[in-house]
Amino acid sequence: MSRHVDVDLLVVGSGAAGLAAAVTAALHGARVLVAEKESVIGGTSAWSGGWLWIPQNPLAREEGIIEDDAAPLAYLQAEMEGLPADSRLRTFLRYGPEMVTFFRQNTAVQFLSGSKMPDFHNSRSFATGGRSITAQPYDGSELGDWLHRLRPPLETISLAGMGIAGGDDMAHFFNATRSPRSALYAARRLFRHGWQRLRYGRGRHLVNGNALIARLLRSALDAGVAFQLNAPVCRLLEGAESVTGAILASDDGDIQVNAGAVVLATGGFPHDKQRLAEQVPHASQGFGHFSAAPPGNQGDGIRLGESVGGQFDTSLKNPMAWAPVSRVSLASGLQLAFPHLVERAKPGFLAVRPDGKRFVNEADSYHDFIAALLHATPEGEKPQAWLIADSRALHRYGLGHARPTPFPVEAWLRTGYLQSASTLEALAEKCGIECAALCDTVTRFNDFARRGHDDDFQRGNSAYNCAQGDARHQPSPTLGALEKAPYYAVRILPGSLGSFSGLKTDEQARVLNAQNHPIHGLFAVGNDMSSVMQGYYPSGGITLGPAMTFGYLVGKKLAANITH
């Protein structure tokens, strides 16, 4: 039996973009329903680092970081190979700081400044900090029973479900074997997390994207937003001139939601095999694509938009936010993609293709790493690489899902996830790497490391490279020789953190039809909206920054048009 619900706004998806729209609209007086097809809230955002790229944000200004109004756009245009900035990009830059101020003043969403977080590249008008923010850690007990409806941190990159934040938090864990103070810090964090898991079923000290979603969820509940979980959208409803709602398939039967507007925020298409085969060459050639986004991100919102005339944007530089991943088989039998976001830049690591040669600056961004791998792979050959570390590097920083000391690595050696050998020659044989070339590559790389300069790929030359390295290591924070046996390796495959290509929208996030006219009553935000960066990846947080900004703008606009 179906039932009917009347709301001002239906938000499809519960990531940061959708929740930003829901919270903003509700605080402006709208009746809002969030429909989520999963049993948990948060989407990809809950698994993310939680960083937002918001140039000229108020936290930076409060720290005295003032930049020229033209600088952020100048940096983006340098990164985007001179492409003109469309109206959506200019809208994002204009209203991003306003969005941050709104949430800080009116909600539980509070931020930390990324004043030491540099842009990815030393391009014209790049910044060494002040353009990034992240959510403050959050006490999950503030959510009450809703804590168990929050998507837990990604299992592969957490410690038994405990998230570790960037900066000082992560540094303490990396230094736990070298500093008594850091060892005590890490032990306390682990003990508290273990105690909370025993008592409450999960940790309650939330960081990164988990903290961002928890804060947005608390804000949504406080504002009166209603949620319907386990409720995928079957189809959109159309009136004479606009989208008027949707049919949800809930556990208790269909729900007809009559809405003044619908916002699509379902997280893009990182696990839509058909669309991946159409948009990603290595996927179409049968080599697969292994995204670290939640498996439920199947392109639902994009297909819903297309069903009423929306257009999918195929013009982007890259269809995906590339990331190097390794495939991890958990004890439960579930296989997940581990995103290699951190250790690549540390001393004692390098990456080679099966030919034994380096192909990239390993300390560059995750997106750049896979873009370089795809470029270096000959046509028709499987794109893959090996990330290699010596014993000191593995025990200090870990390698993929193999954790640093004191956590044992034997289980990962037994499963074959991790390969190890006492010599480079033996490691090459185990991994199928060209032996002589690998030995020559490591010898040459070690010479660079000792001199502190990478002649081949300039690793360590950029501010971002140095920030990702280890400041304690000299003469370079990111270059370290591979000298101490045994040697370790993990296979790297092309993956992503999400998709860039999405529905075409205007500067108000309205979905556009084939004539580039807005479809009334239908909006797309987050990864359902085609990237305002046009498939380029200039800095960390360029997904969540626009996602929350356009969510905020949509919520504000829709609420202004409500007449009860």
Side-chain angles (χ1 to χ4, degrees):
M1 178 180 295
S2 64
R3 57 190 175 96
H4 295 247
V5 176
D6 294 323
V7 296
D8 298 308
L9 175 62
L10 170 63
V11 177
V12 186
S14 64
L19 290 180
V23 170
T24 305
L27 286 175
H28 283 86
R31 298 166 300 166
V32 182
L33 173 65
V34 174
E36 170 57 60
K37 78 171 186 179
E38 306 277 2
S39 60
V40 289
I41 290 167
T44 309
S45 303
W47 278 0
S48 74
W51 285 95
L52 290 74
W53 194 72
I54 305 287
Q56 300 183 299
N57 68 76
L59 286 85
R61 289 179 177 273
E62 289 162 12
E63 291 185 348
I65 302 175
I66 309 296
E67 61 177 322
D68 186 88
D69 289 346
L73 183 57
Y75 173 69
L76 292 177
Q77 290 189 306
E79 286 287 287
M80 295 164 61
E81 301 175 358
L83 284 177
D86 65 17
S87 58
R88 298 180 311 146
L89 185 57
R90 294 179 181 275
T91 297
F92 158 63
L93 292 174
R94 177 181 177 185
Y95 289 102
E98 179 182 302
M99 177 274 294
V100 175
T101 297
F102 173 82
F103 279 98
R104 292 177 79 198
Q105 293 180 350
N106 298 287
T107 76
V109 181
Q110 300 300 314
F111 299 101
L112 295 172
S113 173
S115 57
K116 297 180 181 178
M117 181 70 69
D119 290 326
F120 279 170
H121 308 116
N122 286 16
S123 300
R124 176 170 56 94
S125 297
F126 85 101
T128 57
R131 292 176 176 172
S132 299
I133 58 173
T134 190
Q136 291 184 12
Y138 191 65
D139 181 356
S141 64
E142 296 293 330
L143 290 176
D145 290 341
W146 283 89
L147 176 61
H148 298 284
R149 296 181 177 92
L150 173 70
R151 183 185 292 278
L154 178 59
E155 186 172 355
T156 55
I157 60 174
S158 62
L159 281 175
M162 183 183 75
I164 300 175
D168 292 341
D169 194 29
M170 184 175 292
H172 277 303
F173 280 89
F174 281 147
N175 292 323
T177 59
R178 304 171 67 183
S179 162
R181 177 170 170 265
S182 291
L184 180 61
Y185 176 94
R188 285 175 171 171
R189 284 272 276 119
L190 288 165
F191 177 80
R192 180 171 63 171
H193 176 73
W195 181 82
Q196 290 176 348
R197 285 196 61 168
L198 286 173
R199 181 166 183 180
Y200 304 111
R202 63 163 292 173
R204 304 202 299 182
H205 178 73
L206 309 180
V207 298
N208 302 333
N210 228 229
L212 177 63
I213 292 299
R215 289 180 174 278
L216 282 165
L217 175 56
R218 180 68 267 166
S219 303
L221 297 171
D222 292 343
V225 173
F227 287 84
Q228 186 71 50
L229 305 185
N230 299 303
V233 174
C234 300
R235 61 185 175 89
L236 296 177
L237 301 175
E238 295 182 89
E241 297 181 349
S242 67
V243 171
T244 60
I247 302 295
L248 312 183
S250 78
D251 292 340
D252 299 320
D254 289 351
I255 303 173
Q256 179 174 322
V257 181
N258 302 312
V262 175
V263 175
L264 301 174
T266 68
F269 68 96
H271 292 285
D272 181 343
K273 291 184 179 179
Q274 179 178 339
R275 187 129 11 218
L276 286 171
E278 294 169 353
Q279 302 299 321
V280 178
H282 59 265
S284 66
Q285 294 167 14
F287 297 124
H289 179 77
F290 309 99
S291 180
N297 290 23
Q298 299 277 351
D300 302 341
I302 294 171
R303 286 192 298 274
L304 287 169
E306 290 175 319
S307 73
V308 295
Q311 302 296 300
F312 182 76
D313 191 353
T314 60
S315 68
L316 273 58
K317 171 73 172 180
N318 295 285
M320 315 296 291
W322 304 124
V325 302
S326 53
R327 303 189 73 186
V328 179
S329 295
L330 304 177
S332 63
L334 183 65
Q335 192 169 70
L336 294 176
F338 178 96
H340 291 258
L341 308 181
V342 177
E343 87 275 53
R344 294 175 291 104
K346 305 300 183 188
F349 291 84
L350 63 77
V352 298
R353 291 189 57 253
D355 62 7
K357 299 177 181 179
R358 292 175 71 206
F359 59 93
V360 71
N361 174 343
E362 296 90 345
D364 274 351
S365 77
Y366 35 88
H367 180 82
D368 291 348
F369 186 102
I370 289 301
L373 175 60
L374 296 175
H375 179 75
T377 301
E379 183 71 26
E381 185 177 316
K382 180 179 181 178
Q384 60 179 319
W386 291 91
L387 186 59
I388 300 174
D390 73 354
S391 180
R392 285 178 302 190
L394 176 127
H395 289 298
R396 175 78 194 279
Y397 307 108
L399 176 54
H401 201 50
R403 308 301 190 194
T405 301
F407 299 97
V409 300
E410 284 73 20
W412 303 115
L413 292 169
R414 286 195 299 270
T415 64
Y417 170 78
L418 193 65
Q419 298 294 332
S420 178
S422 59
T423 66
L424 289 171
E425 291 84 354
L427 186 69
E429 183 176 351
K430 281 189 174 183
C431 299
I433 302 172
E434 207 286 310
C435 179
L438 175 62
C439 293
D440 289 345
T441 294
V442 173
T443 298
R444 182 173 175 82
F445 180 83
N446 286 350
D447 180 59
F448 295 159
R450 295 185 193 100
R451 292 191 287 111
H453 188 271
D454 177 6
D455 294 350
D456 290 343
F457 291 96
Q458 291 72 54
R459 176 169 159 183
N461 284 17
S462 74
Y464 178 78
N465 284 178
C466 293
Q468 294 297 102
D470 184 341
R472 295 187 178 190
H473 188 271
Q474 295 299 325
S476 165
T478 185
L479 291 172
L482 283 72
E483 297 174 316
K484 184 174 176 57
Y487 301 94
Y488 297 88
V490 66
R491 187 193 304 271
I492 299 295
L493 297 169
S496 65
L497 301 182
S499 50
F500 278 155
S501 298
L503 293 167
K504 294 181 179 180
T505 64
D506 65 8
E507 70 279 3
Q508 298 180 39
R510 298 179 295 185
V511 177
L512 302 177
N513 62 20
Q515 291 74 42
N516 282 326
H517 296 153
I519 299 172
H520 296 294
L522 185 64
F523 299 78
V525 294
N527 287 354
D528 284 352
M529 166 198 274
S530 192
S531 168
V532 300
M533 306 292 175
Q534 300 185 52
Y536 292 84
Y537 210 143
S539 200
I542 58 94
T543 298
L544 282 178
M548 284 194 63
T549 299
F550 282 100
Y552 160 74
L553 290 173
V554 168
K556 182 179 176 182
K557 174 180 174 58
L558 292 178
N561 296 330
I562 292 171
T563 55
H564 290 304

